[in-house]
């Protein structure tokens, strides 16, 4: 079954990305450290934006999953 093979390949890729996540964030962290003295006065505003956007992303993801599950259940009844 093609879909099972794709799922396994996707899991391998996800495992690789999770195992190396720190490596991918290193350039961004170093960039922030480089300009930290310039953004120090705005750190609370930056953190507030980060928290707010994280909550918005989580809410949008939850709503999307909810709607997709609902559509899949509805499609299952018609078949």
């Amino acid at each position: 079954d093609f879909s099972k093979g794709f799922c396994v390949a996707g899991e391998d890729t996800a495992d690789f990305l999770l195992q190396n996540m720190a490596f991918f964030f290193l350039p961004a962290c170093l960039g922030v450290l480089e300009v930290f003295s310039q953004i120090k006065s705005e750190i609370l505003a930056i953190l507030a934006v980060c928290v707010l956007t994280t909550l918005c992303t989580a809410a949008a993801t939850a709503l999307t999953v909810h709607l997709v599950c609902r559509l899949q259940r509805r499609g299952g009844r018609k078949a």
Side-chain angles (χ1 to χ4, degrees), residues 21-69:
M21 191 179 294
F23 177 74
F24 294 118
F25 281 103
L26 192 60
C29 292
L30 291 176
V32 169
L33 287 176
E34 199 170 292
V35 297
F36 184 74
S37 62
Q38 298 167 354
I39 63 171
K40 188 172 26 175
S41 63
E42 302 295 331
I43 197 71
L44 286 178
I46 293 169
L47 289 175
V49 168
C50 288
V51 169
L52 182 63
T53 56
T54 299
L55 293 174
C56 289
T57 302
T61 302
L63 181 62
T64 302
V65 169
H66 177 73
L67 291 174
V68 168
C69 288

Side-chain angles (χ1 to χ4, degrees), residues 1-11:
D1 186 3
F2 175 75
S3 63
K4 289 182 181 177
F6 179 74
C7 195
V8 171
E11 286 180 18

